[in-house]
Structures are given as structure tokens and as C-alpha cells.
Amino acid sequence: MRQLSAAQVDDLHELVSERQGRSLIITSDRAPSDWYPLFPNPVVAESLLDRLINSSHQVM
């Protein structure tokens, strides 16, 4: 993963918000804690990752 632009973050946040409570598969070669620096706005990063991590099943 690379650093995301503001438009990409908005799109991802919208997607995750719309899919909350339903199935969504996201894959990455990074731990969720390593995602924070990829977001230009730390508040949006916290919101998005909180939604993903708290309701997820992680397979390592």
C-alpha cells in the first residue's frame, strides 16, 4: 500500500461506511497499525480503521 490521496481516503471511507455490518474483504501485507501513516488526515484514519478493526476477523 502507498500513501492515499484525500480523494482516495474519502472513497474508502464511504465504501467502508456503506458496508458496515455487511461482508467486506480487505487484504494487505501490512498490519493495521502500519496503515495510519498512509492517511493524510489522522482523524479520518482513526475513524476508518476503528470501523474496520473492531468488527473484523483477521487472518494472519
Side-chain angles (χ1 to χ4, degrees):
M1 287 180 64
R2 297 178 263 201
Q3 189 166 13
L4 302 171
S5 70
Q8 290 170 322
V9 171
D10 289 343
D11 290 342
L12 182 59
H13 191 275
E14 183 178 336
L15 175 69
V16 170
S17 295
E18 288 181 12
R19 299 295 305 173
Q20 192 168 2
R22 295 186 279 167
S23 297
L24 177 67
I25 297 174
I26 296 177
T27 63
S28 175
D29 60 348
R30 295 181 185 218
S33 60
D34 295 339
W35 288 25
Y36 288 93
L38 303 176
F39 292 86
N41 183 336
V43 174
V44 174
E46 183 65 35
S47 171
L48 183 77
L49 294 173
D50 183 57
R51 290 179 186 193
L52 288 174
I53 294 169
N54 287 331
S55 62
S56 69
H57 297 280
Q58 296 181 23
V59 178
M60 302 291 188

